[in-house]
Amino acid sequence: MRKTLIIVALLLACMGLSAQEYHINLHQDGSVLYDNSISDIHSIHFEGYQPASMIMQAGCGISTFPLSAFDSITFVKEEVPPAGDTVYIAYNGTSVNVVNPFSNDGVTVSTSGANVNVSSTKANVPYVVSGSSSNGSLTMYSTSSFFMALNSLSLTNTSTAAINLASNVNTALALRGTSTLADGANSSLNAALYAAGNLTIDGSGSLLVTGNAKHGIAVEGIMTVNSGTIQILDTDSDGIHGSSNLIWNNGTLDIVSAGSDGLDFSGTVTISNGDLSINTTAESQRSIKVTNAFTMAGGALHLNINGNDCKGIKGDADININGGIVVVQISGTGSHGISSDTDVFISGTADVTVVSSSQDGKCIKSDGTVHINGGTLELTHSGDISKGISATGDITITGGDITITASGSTVLEVVNNQNVPAYCTAIKSDADINISGGTFHITLPTSNHGGKAISADSDLTISGGDFTITTQGNGASYTVSGSTKDAYTSSCLKCDGNMQILAGNYTLSSSGTGGKGINVGGTLVIGQQGANNDDLFLNVTTSGERITVSSGGGGWPGGGGGDYANPKGIKAQGNLTINSGNITVNCTQTQNEGGECIESKATLTINGGNIDAHSVKDDAVNAAQNLTINGGIYYAHSDGNDGTDSNGNMFLNGGLNISNGARSPEEGFDCDWNQFAITGSTSIGTGGGTSNPTQNVCTQPSLKINTQQGYAIQILKSDGTVICTYQCPTFTGGGGGGPGGGNGMVMLFTDPQLQTGQSYTVKYNGTISGGTNWNGYYTGNVTYSGGSQTTVNVNSMVTTVSAGGGGW
């Protein structure tokens, strides 16, 4: 009674307000339930016990409000007249209170218990729905668009949808307060909230939905969310199911548990802002499933995937992420973070993080192509044979900041009765990979055995970017079938076709057994002809030992005649050409041969560049067929084998070249006694021995100087002009001694200033001071003092000189 008296007193006091300026508002949980001008109200009275309802007679008819439907009354000064009258539907347990000012103007509202049917032929009617019922429903039929506000509504129905927007028209749905909707498991419709037409949601409130029959929300038309919070608590099938497009402009989505897909739309999905979180826990679910294009320009997307064969974002068409934050957590076998049947595009300010423990899972997968033009990607995948970025088609990267940690391992799969390794790879294309920019931080830790950092089944072309790649896992031998054995090893850069490394900055490190920095199945081109060397910085280090595939009997010393998977700095099965760039390769294996810095299984050609190759146990540089040096600055050093080795012919045509081998029988330049032609260059080769240049094909003479390790050598023309000042290295490995005993060394020297028919002075065992030292080769203001000297007449293309080393 006291509450009634207070309300009456307030109303009587306020009725004296200027009717032209004030409105009366009824509120529930901060939302306006009823709004009308005071001038339009004729009377207010109360009925029922304590009382139960407030009756308001206005110009548009009589409105009845249960006192439980509102919690406050305010009087608001309005400078603009209200837009129009409103239909109020207030649920009260098993009954409904309805205010329908348009009962004679095209709107019919009928009730049966707490079930409401609305039929309207009037356009743009506003509806406010509030109250609570555990067995009620609202079915809307309208020939025109309308507005509906859910004002702290709690509505459950066991036989149909809680709200059925049955007509194919536009519905604007406003969320006020917190509303809950649920249907029963035996519902005849497919969702707790069903819309046959377009549905637009906004407001500052929340909507909590449970879909016991099938979906939480089902929309046949376009669904647009501008604001508000939608929480899908539980569903038998999709959280939100759409037959057309989803446009998410803002607002919050939280799909706690979906029986099937989180969002499933047959059209497009576009996210420009907002915060969306989706959990998928059963097998073969999709957090977001879209038939046509998926586009994300802003907002935040958090996906948590726990089932087998699940997808975070699954598009039958293109996936385009050019802004916003995407965070995906994956567990379960064969699950993928972002997966498209066509193409994936990542650009702009996109921030994508995927953490996957899924075996055979992919952080980003495309059955078409992948294009990364910008954004930030942080991908971590620990499942065996998993992939960071995987594409059936080409992968093209022009920018972006990409960090990938691939810690899964290799698994042997049986294909045609043979064991075939399946690798854990950071970036993998079944076709080509083209990279022209971006920053790459890729790590394959010790748990990743035999994995690849960047791998293409066809060609790999890189023309820019910054790369820091580390592979640490050991490779392993395995049985292919029967007695046939093979091995798998890790690689920083790998392709089965041809590779071009034209520009960029690279720090590549492989420390696992058999590991390779660059491994090419076809031809390899490093640097562009005529380019500035500073356009390319390539630094490669390997430290793992070789893998024994099968042991053998005798064979070459150190080889044992067995079959091995050897570590390599840079290896090409086909031709290898170096045109330009700053290239440093170190192979630091200490136990066995096989760790060569630069190797071509065909022809190696060097046209330019600054090259520095240092191997501890095997050749620094090796070509299986021909080796040609036309220009550049070239330094090769081996502590335990040849500096430069060609199993076929060798041609020194230009450049400044220094090649140091180990003690005898190793050599600075080893041509395996095939054609060794010198037509130009300034070249110095030191070792326990040297291959002899082939006299009848040389056009520039050379000196074969028998000396001692560590000796300083200076060569002068007859007029005193210095041609060469060189500090011979000291042996750090190898076998026996060369000329002159255990410290003997052979120095092969050639220079364009050497001419036949001229005499030259060779100084040795002196001291060098001043000048600029490049790997023992001195230029500039050099002083040579002390030691001994000899004079040599050059009358042929190869002249032998004794400089303290005896004969060879």
Side-chain angles (χ1 to χ4, degrees):
M1 181 62 72
R2 176 173 175 156
K3 179 179 178 181
T4 304
L5 293 174
I6 293 173
I7 292 175
V8 173
L10 286 172
L11 292 174
L12 291 174
C14 293
M15 291 295 286
L17 296 171
S18 172
Q20 299 298 323
E21 297 180 355
Y22 285 88
H23 277 227
I24 182 172
N25 288 172
L26 306 186
H27 300 268
Q28 175 69 33
D29 290 337
S31 299
V32 176
L33 175 67
Y34 178 83
D35 180 0
N36 206 350
S37 173
I38 291 176
S39 63
D40 196 40
I41 297 174
H42 303 311
S43 65
I44 299 175
H45 66 278
F46 299 89
E47 292 182 352
Y49 177 69
Q50 285 193 346
S53 301
M54 181 175 74
I55 311 300
M56 187 178 302
Q57 184 176 2
C60 57
I62 298 175
S63 302
T64 301
F65 299 95
L67 292 189
S68 60
F70 63 94
D71 54 24
S72 63
I73 301 175
T74 61
F75 296 89
V76 181
K77 185 175 182 180
E78 293 285 346
E79 296 180 358
V80 179
D85 296 311
T86 303
V87 176
Y88 295 93
I89 302 171
Y91 288 86
N92 186 17
T94 59
S95 62
V96 184
N97 294 293
V98 177
V99 177
N100 180 14
F102 309 111
S103 58
N104 297 320
D105 192 17
V107 178
T108 301
V109 181
S110 61
T111 64
S112 175
N115 297 297
V116 179
N117 280 273
V118 178
S119 179
S120 173
T121 58
K122 185 177 177 62
N124 301 318
V125 176
Y127 299 86
V128 176
V129 187
S130 62
S132 174
S133 177
S134 60
N135 190 22
S137 66
L138 173 60
T139 301
M140 298 287 302
Y141 296 97
S142 178
T143 58
S144 301
S145 303
F146 61 90
F147 167 87
M148 178 180 290
L150 302 186
N151 189 4
S152 298
L153 171 68
S154 178
L155 192 58
T156 298
N157 193 281
T158 59
S159 60
T160 187
I163 296 180
N164 178 9
L165 307 176
S167 300
N168 184 13
V169 297
N170 297 326
T171 302
L173 186 66
L175 305 181
R176 299 173 181 174
T178 299
S179 297
T180 62
L181 302 177
D183 61 359
N186 297 319
S187 172
S188 59
L189 285 178
N190 291 332
L193 171 59
Y194 172 81
N198 298 330
L199 177 65
T200 299
I201 299 177
D202 57 21
S204 59
S206 299
L207 177 62
L208 283 61
V209 182
T210 300
N212 293 307
K214 197 170 183 181
H215 311 308
I217 300 174
V219 182
E220 301 294 339
I222 297 173
M223 181 175 177
T224 304
V225 180
N226 296 319
S227 61
T229 297
I230 300 174
Q231 188 174 48
I232 308 297
L233 300 176
D234 192 16
T235 64
D236 182 68
S237 188
D238 302 334
I240 301 178
H241 182 90
S243 299
S244 182
N245 304 333
L246 172 63
I247 302 171
W248 199 284
N249 294 321
N250 212 330
T252 301
L253 173 67
D254 183 9
I255 298 181
V256 178
S257 177
S260 184
D261 304 322
L263 298 177
D264 185 347
F265 279 79
S266 299
T268 62
V269 171
T270 303
I271 301 172
S272 58
N273 208 339
D275 193 335
L276 296 83
S277 298
I278 303 174
N279 293 303
T280 53
T281 57
E283 292 192 3
S284 303
Q285 289 184 346
R286 281 76 175 125
S287 297
I288 299 176
K289 180 182 178 183
V290 53
T291 300
N292 294 321
F294 173 91
T295 302
M296 183 169 179
L301 185 58
H302 301 269
L303 308 178
N304 189 12
I305 303 166
N306 295 316
N308 296 334
D309 191 31
C310 290
K311 310 291 187 292
I313 303 172
K314 171 61 172 69
D316 294 346
D318 292 352
I319 294 176
N320 190 333
I321 304 174
N322 55 50
I325 298 171
V326 179
V327 179
V328 186
Q329 296 274 347
I330 308 173
S331 61
T333 301
S335 293
H336 308 326
I338 298 171
S339 178
S340 170
D341 288 351
T342 55
D343 302 329
V344 174
F345 299 85
I346 299 175
S347 61
T349 60
D351 188 342
V352 178
T353 300
V354 182
V355 178
S356 170
S357 60
S358 174
Q359 180 172 341
D360 196 22
K362 283 82 176 175
C363 295
I364 298 174
K365 178 184 181 297
S366 170
D367 289 337
T369 63
V370 172
H371 303 263
I372 301 175
N373 302 319
T376 300
L377 285 81
E378 185 168 351
L379 312 178
T380 303
H381 52 107
S382 57
D384 293 345
I385 62 174
S386 58
K387 307 290 187 289
I389 301 172
S390 175
T392 301
D394 295 345
I395 296 176
T396 302
I397 303 175
T398 63
D401 191 334
I402 301 172
T403 300
I404 305 177
T405 301
S407 57
S409 194
T410 296
V411 173
L412 293 177
E413 298 179 336
V414 179
V415 179
N416 296 326
N417 297 318
Q418 292 186 336
N419 289 320
V420 177
Y423 303 108
C424 174
T425 305
I427 300 175
K428 170 66 167 65
S429 169
D430 295 345
D432 297 340
I433 297 178
N434 296 281
I435 300 174
S436 59
T439 301
F440 300 80
H441 303 273
I442 300 177
T443 302
L444 277 61
T446 55
S447 61
N448 186 330
H449 301 288
K452 323 298 179 189
I454 300 177
S455 176
D457 284 355
S458 187
D459 297 340
L460 171 58
T461 302
I462 307 177
S463 57
D466 293 291
F467 300 81
T468 302
I469 300 177
T470 301
T471 68
Q472 300 171 333
N474 292 329
S477 63
Y478 67 96
T479 300
V480 178
S481 63
S483 61
T484 304
K485 294 186 176 181
D486 204 341
Y488 54 79
T489 60
S490 294
S491 299
C492 296
L493 301 178
K494 168 74 167 65
C495 74
D496 294 339
N498 303 320
M499 185 183 298
Q500 296 185 79
I501 302 176
L502 305 178
N505 300 307
Y506 305 79
T507 300
L508 311 179
S509 174
S510 183
S511 59
T513 53
K516 297 168 178 62
I518 298 173
N519 189 6
V520 184
T523 63
L524 170 61
V525 175
I526 299 176
Q528 300 185 72
Q529 282 192 306
N532 190 318
N533 286 330
D534 289 345
D535 290 344
L536 171 63
F537 287 87
L538 176 59
N539 190 314
V540 183
T541 303
T542 65
S543 58
E545 297 297 332
R546 72 186 184 188
I547 299 168
T548 300
V549 178
S550 60
S551 59
W556 189 255
D563 184 14
Y564 304 96
N566 293 306
K568 305 288 181 181
I570 300 173
K571 177 186 176 182
Q573 285 295 123
N575 296 335
L576 195 164
T577 303
I578 299 176
N579 293 313
S580 61
N582 297 286
I583 301 158
T584 302
V585 187
N586 288 285
C587 294
T588 63
Q589 295 78 15
T590 60
Q591 301 300 315
N592 299 289
E593 288 188 347
E596 294 170 323
C597 296
I598 301 173
E599 180 188 39
S600 168
K601 290 296 186 181
T603 296
L604 171 60
T605 302
I606 299 173
N607 296 316
N610 296 320
I611 301 167
D612 188 324
H614 183 185
S615 173
V616 173
K617 290 295 290 185
D618 211 327
D619 302 334
V621 176
N622 178 273
Q625 297 176 12
N626 298 327
L627 188 151
T628 301
I629 302 178
N630 296 317
I633 299 175
Y634 171 88
Y635 176 68
H637 181 100
S638 175
D639 296 336
N641 215 311
D642 300 322
T644 302
D645 183 8
S646 174
N647 303 124
N649 300 319
M650 184 181 296
F651 304 92
L652 301 181
N653 302 323
L656 173 59
N657 311 304
I658 296 178
S659 180
N660 300 327
R663 297 177 186 271
S664 176
E666 315 307 346
E667 303 172 349
F669 291 107
D670 181 1
C671 192
D672 286 354
W673 308 111
N674 292 297
Q675 189 179 85
F676 182 9
I678 299 176
T679 63
S681 80
T682 297
S683 298
I684 299 172
T686 63
T690 185
S691 291
N692 290 313
T694 307
Q695 298 251 16
N696 62 352
V697 296
C698 292
T699 59
Q700 178 175 295
S702 58
L703 300 177
K704 181 181 176 182
I705 304 170
N706 295 322
T707 185
Q708 298 280 331
Q709 63 169 326
Y711 270 18
I713 304 292
Q714 189 172 65
I715 303 171
L716 303 91
K717 295 168 66 173
S718 58
D719 62 3
T721 302
V722 176
I723 299 177
C724 172
T725 303
Y726 182 68
Q727 180 73 56
C728 290
T730 300
F731 290 128
T732 58
N743 292 323
M745 175 173 282
V746 177
M747 172 180 167
L748 181 69
F749 171 73
T750 185
D751 186 273
Q753 296 185 72
L754 287 179
Q755 298 180 11
T756 57
Q758 302 294 320
S759 63
Y760 298 89
T761 299
V762 178
K763 295 182 178 181
Y764 57 94
N765 197 22
T767 302
I768 302 172
S769 61
T772 300
N773 178 11
W774 177 72
N775 294 306
Y777 183 78
Y778 283 81
T779 57
N781 189 16
V782 179
T783 300
Y784 188 98
S785 58
S788 303
Q789 66 180 49
T790 186
T791 300
V792 57
N793 294 316
V794 176
N795 295 317
S796 65
M797 286 299 159
V798 183
T799 303
T800 300
V801 183
S802 178
W808 173 244

